[in-house]
Amino acid sequence: MSKKIILSGIQATGKLTLGNYLGAIDNWVKMQEEYECYYMIANLHSLTVRNDPETLRNNTLKILAIYIAAGLDPDKNTIFIQSQVKEHAELGWILDCYTYMGELSRMTQFKDKAAKHADNINAGLFTYPALMAADILLYQADLVPVGEDQMQHLEITRDIAERFNNLYGETFVIPEGYVRKASKRIMGLQDPTSKMSKSATNLNDVIFLEDEPEVILKKFKRAVTDSENIIRFDIENKPGVSNLMQIYSAITSKTIEEIEKEFEGSGYGNFKTKVAEAVIQKLEPIQIKYKELLNNPEYLEKIYTKGAENARELASKTLNSVKEKIGIIV
Ligand code: TYM
């Protein structure tokens, strides 16, 4: 039996965070043996906000380096840059024409980003989910591992695919989202009621994957908790402590009950240090490999060139079948 297909990706905007790592990359690494995986760097999606061109170019390569440093094996997975597989933009346009303004205007990410970038509410920001649907559907993905914040985009992808299939017959596999419970939504360290995000203005809110160990320790030590001084999971009343427990659980694979037991009678100071140490221990080897890879641009180029070639094979097959069905001469 052939393996099930996975596709996922990360935008090339900004520096990657612990949320991206635990919510996405770390799960991808765990899935690479069992599935046929396509992992991309979504640099076309990055254009929905303004970027300095040089920074966008560098970020694209940095994300590729993180993927590999974190353990994605380029020989086992197809790792590629979205813009290098032109089928994405082409199917993106086609799917724009099968996506309704009403459903797009309900997207939380659109509303959030439109509020944040009030001076640049461009059409791409609005139709963003149709391009994301194209990313997924081109590869006939069965499973899309993402953090919880992307689930709404996955739902609309399923709706678009079903709509298309109903009109033209079976064309797309209807993808399922995969969200890992322990890491589905890593929250900010300063504001544990909102998601840890690349675009946070308070840098103490976010652990960046490039942060030095001392910085990571300092940020965890400053993390907002509460006055109870008991390590107990209760998202509603103890969002800060619960978030730290979730991070610790995602990194160590210990259950919440095991963590409560481990830190029974311990104060927050010791707990925060232990969480920081676990994160540092996990990230340090990745950071070392990452720096080595960035010094080897020829190797990175080889990976993304081969990745795009592989990706194109399946993507062009799907796109051609779509075009035939809707009356576009191939
Ligand atoms: P992006 O770049 O915002 O985030 C990349 C991945 O990281 C996850 N994530 C988190 N998970 C848990 N806690 C957090 N605090 C956290 N922050 C981010 C996201 O859920 C995501 O899985 N639209 C996508 C990129 C994309 C894509 C795709 C994803 C483009 N095409 C096709 C899957 C399939 C995005 O902006 O993710």
Side-chain angles (χ1 to χ4, degrees), residues 12-14 43 46-60 62 120:
T13 324
N43 60 342
S46 297
L47 300 177
T48 56
V49 296
R50 289 282 171 265
N51 295 279
D52 164 55
E54 198 50 34
T55 309
L56 178 57
R57 238 186 313 271
N58 286 336
N59 273 348
T60 306
K62 282 181 171 182
N120 182 23

Side-chain angles (χ1 to χ4, degrees), residues 33-34 77 105-106 153 155 188 197 236 240 286 290 316 324:
E33 303 294 337
E34 209 182 319
N77 305 281
S105 53
R106 284 195 291 276
H153 288 158
E155 287 306 320
S197 156
E236 204 131 289
I286 298 175
Y290 167 70
S316 61
E324 267 164 26

Side-chain angles (χ1 to χ4, degrees), residues 5-159:
I5 298 179
I6 279 188
L7 176 125
S8 201
I10 296 185
Q11 276 197 70
T13 324
K15 294 195 281 186
L16 293 196
T17 72
L18 187 62
N20 295 128
Y21 177 69
L22 293 177
I25 304 171
D26 189 36
N27 298 330
W28 304 353
V29 173
K30 294 188 175 109
M31 296 168 116
Q32 64 183 336
E33 303 294 337
E34 209 182 319
Y35 295 88
E36 182 183 337
C37 303
Y38 292 82
Y39 294 122
M40 57 166 219
I41 299 137
N43 60 342
L44 293 175
H45 278 112
S46 297
L47 300 177
T48 56
V49 296
R50 289 282 171 265
N51 295 279
D52 164 55
E54 198 50 34
T55 309
L56 178 57
R57 238 186 313 271
N58 286 336
N59 273 348
T60 306
L61 296 180
K62 282 181 171 182
I63 294 179
L64 174 65
I66 287 276
Y67 283 1
I68 300 166
L72 288 181
D73 181 343
D75 292 327
K76 287 189 187 145
N77 305 281
T78 298
I79 303 177
F80 66 102
I81 301 172
Q82 182 188 32
S83 61
Q84 295 206 315
V85 182
K86 295 191 170 62
E87 284 78 0
H88 289 248
E90 221 177 324
L91 185 63
W93 165 252
I94 293 173
L95 296 183
D96 273 347
C97 305
Y98 293 85
T99 309
Y100 297 118
M101 305 270 288
E103 45 189 5
L104 289 173
S105 53
R106 284 195 291 276
M107 295 293 115
T108 331
Q109 183 172 303
F110 169 70
K111 289 190 235 171
D112 287 352
K113 288 208 174 162
K116 252 188 214 153
H117 304 275
D119 55 340
N120 182 23
I121 306 177
N122 58 70
L125 195 62
F126 191 61
T127 61
Y128 180 115
L131 180 59
M132 181 159 157
D135 299 336
I136 298 169
L137 300 178
L138 275 175
Y139 300 92
Q140 306 290 6
D142 298 284
L143 212 60
V144 183
V146 284
E148 198 180 46
D149 62 308
Q150 292 299 318
M151 279 309 275
Q152 201 185 21
H153 288 158
L154 209 83
E155 287 306 320
I156 195 175
T157 299
R158 290 165 59 88
D159 291 344

